[in-house]
Amino acid sequence: MKHTDIAKVLRDASLMGQEVTVCGWVRTARDSAAVAFLEITDGTSFSRLQVVVDKNNLSLDPECTKCGASVRAKGIVVKAFKGDGAELNATEVTLLGKCPSEYPIQKKRTTLDFLRGIPHLRLRTNTFAAVFRVRSVAAQAVHRYFHERGYYYINTPLITASDCEGAGEMFRVTTQPWDAKYESEEAYYKDDFFGKKAGLSVSGQLEGEVAATALGRIYTFGPSFRAENSNTTRHLAEFWHIEPEIAFAELPDVLEVAEEMVKYLIRAVLSECPEEIAFFDKFMEPGLRDKLTHVAESEFGVLDYTEAIEILKKADREFKFPVEWGCDLQTEHERYITEEVFKKPVFVVNYPKEIKSFYMKQNADGKTVAAADLLVPGVGEIIGGSEREADPDKLLAAMKVRGMDLSAYEQYISLRTFGTVPHGGFGLGFERFVMYVTGMENIRDVTLFPRTVKNIM
Ligand code: ATP
Ligand code: MN
């Protein structure tokens, strides 16, 4: 269907005085005997186009004035009556699809919670359309950032036989129903599709290491799955994960990449989505624009886990979860550190080895590992990363302590046997990043169809 994007009509000065055809959905309409004003959007820009219909010269189907109706309008682009934009003096308006009054997206502001119940229609609102435009711009920027720096884009398997973290948060992949004839779990899995227990991957890191120890610098950008049984505003069962893996790199190199990448993504969103950010600044998080501009220009903090514990212990604040050296940082702790103490993004580094994964490089103190989490105000952890253990003996020891099945990791271990190198990487939760740059407070509101405990719509 030949037509011009509304974004182009609004921005391209050369179209002034020209005849164009636009298509879109009516967001608001003002109708009188002589004239009708239809504000329409086609998704290409935050701003809508006003279509002016002179009813003395043009008969207008009343259905075209209903909120949600889809229309095609032909007309002349003229200077807007208000402001310095453009509007359309219609010569022809055609109804494409009518929209009855039970359309749930009406002009009056509804709640985000209500909109969560209609995921198939909520993108018709300003808020959600803006979220998904920002999300797209950020995703493109991720690829640009790595491509410009010589990283290869790798696709790692989603179905896996090994659980990356060694933890039990994996969804099972199976084709066979349970049958009482099986005497053991093992016998059951033997008959299953892959002949062994399989699941949806929680991370592409282990395979990413395979690629990085041949290609040098790689990244993945794909879905990860976590069977988290926690109903929080920051956890999804299916989320998008950006995982660079870098050979010949130590922890400080990993931090440098993470910081540079986050700033690059923020700058891309600021420059490509000014209207969206202005909207979120006004309605979601006052001061958002200044926050992002400031973060893109200033240095992130770096804090040792041991110091973080000292700070938390001295805090004039009661935490739900008590703080002791050796404990995992809970969201309330993370947010205190980044929001109240640093007031900006901060890396917490060198965590106790007991609370981190087997593959993290063991520090010389014998107690901590070279791990780093990036905490940001409003969200908490958005990145988890580390230098990886490159010494085969130390890696094996760490796996044994955890009681892991070494035979399942033979290939991974052999990367350390055959020309091992210092290397590291991190995982950025893409939805958490989108929350951070939009000020949206619930991860369900930055995901098209969020999958969470007891919820799959
Ligand atoms: P958290 O402590 O917040 O549950 P994690 O430490 O389990 O996260 P990692 O295994 O370090 O997470 O994963 C790397 C990144 O992936 C996290 O920093 C986060 O941004 C993102 N992430 C992890 N789990 C989820 C989830 N269930 N939903 C959305 N994003 C997630
Ligand atoms: Mn983490």
Short mmCIF file of all heavy atoms in Angstrom, two decimals, residues 165 226 228 234-236 239 241 381-384 427-429 432 443, ligand 1:
data_model
loop_
_atom_site.label_atom_id
_atom_site.label_comp_id
_atom_site.label_asym_id
_atom_site.label_seq_id
_atom_site.Cartn_x
_atom_site.Cartn_y
_atom_site.Cartn_z
N GLU A 165 25.15 -22.80 35.45
CA GLU A 165 25.51 -22.34 36.79
C GLU A 165 25.62 -23.49 37.78
O GLU A 165 25.96 -23.29 38.94
CB GLU A 165 24.47 -21.33 37.31
CG GLU A 165 24.14 -20.23 36.32
CD GLU A 165 25.28 -19.21 36.20
OE1 GLU A 165 25.96 -18.97 37.19
OE2 GLU A 165 25.48 -18.70 35.10
N ARG A 226 15.20 -18.96 32.76
CA ARG A 226 15.43 -19.24 34.18
C ARG A 226 14.10 -19.63 34.81
O ARG A 226 13.14 -18.87 34.76
CB ARG A 226 15.96 -18.00 34.91
CG ARG A 226 17.23 -17.41 34.29
CD ARG A 226 18.49 -17.91 34.94
NE ARG A 226 19.66 -17.54 34.17
CZ ARG A 226 20.57 -16.67 34.57
NH1 ARG A 226 20.46 -16.07 35.73
NH2 ARG A 226 21.61 -16.41 33.81
N GLU A 228 13.02 -19.37 37.57
CA GLU A 228 13.04 -18.71 38.87
C GLU A 228 11.63 -18.79 39.44
O GLU A 228 10.69 -18.39 38.80
CB GLU A 228 13.38 -17.22 38.75
CG GLU A 228 14.40 -16.89 37.71
CD GLU A 228 15.65 -16.33 38.35
OE1 GLU A 228 15.78 -16.45 39.57
OE2 GLU A 228 16.49 -15.82 37.61
N ARG A 234 11.74 -7.86 38.46
CA ARG A 234 12.97 -7.86 37.68
C ARG A 234 13.33 -9.23 37.10
O ARG A 234 14.39 -9.39 36.52
CB ARG A 234 14.15 -7.37 38.54
CG ARG A 234 14.02 -5.92 39.00
CD ARG A 234 14.94 -5.63 40.14
NE ARG A 234 14.68 -6.59 41.21
CZ ARG A 234 15.45 -7.61 41.49
NH1 ARG A 234 16.57 -7.80 40.85
NH2 ARG A 234 15.12 -8.45 42.45
N HIS A 235 12.46 -10.21 37.28
CA HIS A 235 12.76 -11.55 36.78
C HIS A 235 11.72 -12.05 35.79
O HIS A 235 10.53 -11.99 36.05
CB HIS A 235 12.85 -12.55 37.94
CG HIS A 235 14.05 -12.37 38.80
ND1 HIS A 235 14.02 -11.60 39.95
CD2 HIS A 235 15.32 -12.83 38.67
CE1 HIS A 235 15.24 -11.61 40.49
NE2 HIS A 235 16.04 -12.34 39.74
N LEU A 236 12.22 -12.57 34.68
CA LEU A 236 11.37 -13.24 33.70
C LEU A 236 11.83 -14.68 33.58
O LEU A 236 12.99 -14.99 33.87
CB LEU A 236 11.53 -12.58 32.32
CG LEU A 236 11.01 -11.15 32.16
CD1 LEU A 236 11.50 -10.58 30.84
CD2 LEU A 236 9.49 -11.13 32.22
N PHE A 239 14.26 -14.33 29.10
CA PHE A 239 14.75 -12.97 28.89
C PHE A 239 15.85 -12.97 27.84
O PHE A 239 16.34 -14.02 27.44
CB PHE A 239 15.25 -12.36 30.21
CG PHE A 239 16.54 -12.96 30.75
CD1 PHE A 239 17.76 -12.32 30.54
CD2 PHE A 239 16.52 -14.15 31.45
CE1 PHE A 239 18.95 -12.86 31.03
CE2 PHE A 239 17.71 -14.70 31.94
CZ PHE A 239 18.92 -14.05 31.73
N HIS A 241 19.57 -11.94 26.55
CA HIS A 241 20.83 -11.93 27.26
C HIS A 241 21.93 -11.54 26.28
O HIS A 241 22.05 -12.15 25.21
CB HIS A 241 21.07 -13.37 27.75
CG HIS A 241 21.82 -13.49 29.02
ND1 HIS A 241 21.99 -14.70 29.65
CD2 HIS A 241 22.48 -12.59 29.77
CE1 HIS A 241 22.71 -14.52 30.75
NE2 HIS A 241 23.01 -13.26 30.85
N GLU A 381 20.99 -5.08 40.05
CA GLU A 381 21.96 -5.74 39.14
C GLU A 381 21.46 -5.76 37.70
O GLU A 381 20.37 -6.25 37.43
CB GLU A 381 22.21 -7.18 39.62
CG GLU A 381 23.14 -7.92 38.68
CD GLU A 381 23.32 -9.40 39.02
OE1 GLU A 381 23.14 -9.77 40.20
OE2 GLU A 381 23.63 -10.18 38.10
N ILE A 382 22.28 -5.25 36.78
CA ILE A 382 21.94 -5.44 35.36
C ILE A 382 22.99 -6.28 34.64
O ILE A 382 22.73 -6.81 33.57
CB ILE A 382 21.71 -4.12 34.59
CG1 ILE A 382 22.95 -3.24 34.52
CG2 ILE A 382 20.55 -3.33 35.18
CD1 ILE A 382 22.82 -2.11 33.48
N ILE A 383 24.19 -6.38 35.24
CA ILE A 383 25.26 -7.17 34.61
C ILE A 383 25.89 -8.07 35.66
O ILE A 383 26.11 -7.65 36.80
CB ILE A 383 26.35 -6.25 34.01
CG1 ILE A 383 25.87 -5.66 32.68
CG2 ILE A 383 27.68 -6.99 33.81
CD1 ILE A 383 26.88 -4.74 32.01
N GLY A 384 26.16 -9.32 35.27
CA GLY A 384 26.98 -10.20 36.09
C GLY A 384 28.12 -10.70 35.24
O GLY A 384 27.88 -11.20 34.13
N GLY A 427 27.35 -10.98 31.37
CA GLY A 427 26.00 -11.09 30.83
C GLY A 427 25.20 -9.87 31.22
O GLY A 427 25.12 -9.51 32.40
N LEU A 428 24.64 -9.20 30.21
CA LEU A 428 23.73 -8.08 30.47
C LEU A 428 22.31 -8.54 30.20
O LEU A 428 22.03 -9.09 29.12
CB LEU A 428 24.07 -6.90 29.55
CG LEU A 428 23.03 -5.76 29.47
CD1 LEU A 428 22.96 -4.98 30.78
CD2 LEU A 428 23.33 -4.81 28.32
N GLY A 429 21.44 -8.36 31.16
CA GLY A 429 20.02 -8.66 30.94
C GLY A 429 19.41 -7.53 30.15
O GLY A 429 19.31 -6.41 30.65
N ARG A 432 16.49 -5.64 31.64
CA ARG A 432 16.86 -4.79 32.78
C ARG A 432 17.47 -3.48 32.28
O ARG A 432 17.27 -2.42 32.85
CB ARG A 432 17.83 -5.52 33.70
CG ARG A 432 17.18 -6.75 34.31
CD ARG A 432 17.54 -6.92 35.76
NE ARG A 432 16.97 -8.16 36.27
CZ ARG A 432 17.60 -8.97 37.10
NH1 ARG A 432 18.82 -8.66 37.53
NH2 ARG A 432 17.02 -10.06 37.52
N ILE A 443 9.58 -5.32 34.86
CA ILE A 443 10.16 -5.97 33.69
C ILE A 443 9.08 -6.49 32.73
O ILE A 443 9.31 -6.61 31.53
CB ILE A 443 11.14 -7.09 34.13
CG1 ILE A 443 12.10 -7.47 33.01
CG2 ILE A 443 10.37 -8.31 34.65
CD1 ILE A 443 13.33 -8.23 33.46
P1 ATP B 1 19.66 -11.90 39.94
O1 ATP B 1 20.59 -12.00 41.11
O2 ATP B 1 19.17 -10.51 39.68
O3 ATP B 1 18.58 -12.92 39.93
P2 ATP B 1 21.63 -13.45 38.57
O4 ATP B 1 22.81 -13.12 39.39
O5 ATP B 1 20.92 -14.73 38.74
O6 ATP B 1 20.54 -12.24 38.65
P3 ATP B 1 23.29 -13.75 36.24
O7 ATP B 1 23.30 -15.22 36.22
O8 ATP B 1 24.47 -13.02 36.73
O9 ATP B 1 21.98 -13.25 37.02
O10 ATP B 1 22.83 -13.24 34.78
C1 ATP B 1 23.40 -12.10 34.14
C2 ATP B 1 22.37 -11.01 33.96
O11 ATP B 1 21.18 -11.52 33.34
C3 ATP B 1 21.86 -10.40 35.24
O12 ATP B 1 22.74 -9.40 35.69
C4 ATP B 1 20.53 -9.84 34.84
O13 ATP B 1 20.67 -8.59 34.18
C5 ATP B 1 20.03 -10.81 33.81
N1 ATP B 1 19.09 -11.77 34.39
C6 ATP B 1 19.35 -12.85 35.15
N2 ATP B 1 18.25 -13.52 35.49
C7 ATP B 1 17.22 -12.83 34.90
C8 ATP B 1 15.81 -13.04 34.87
N3 ATP B 1 15.23 -14.07 35.46
N4 ATP B 1 15.06 -12.15 34.16
C9 ATP B 1 15.64 -11.11 33.54
N5 ATP B 1 16.95 -10.87 33.53
C10 ATP B 1 17.76 -11.72 34.21
#
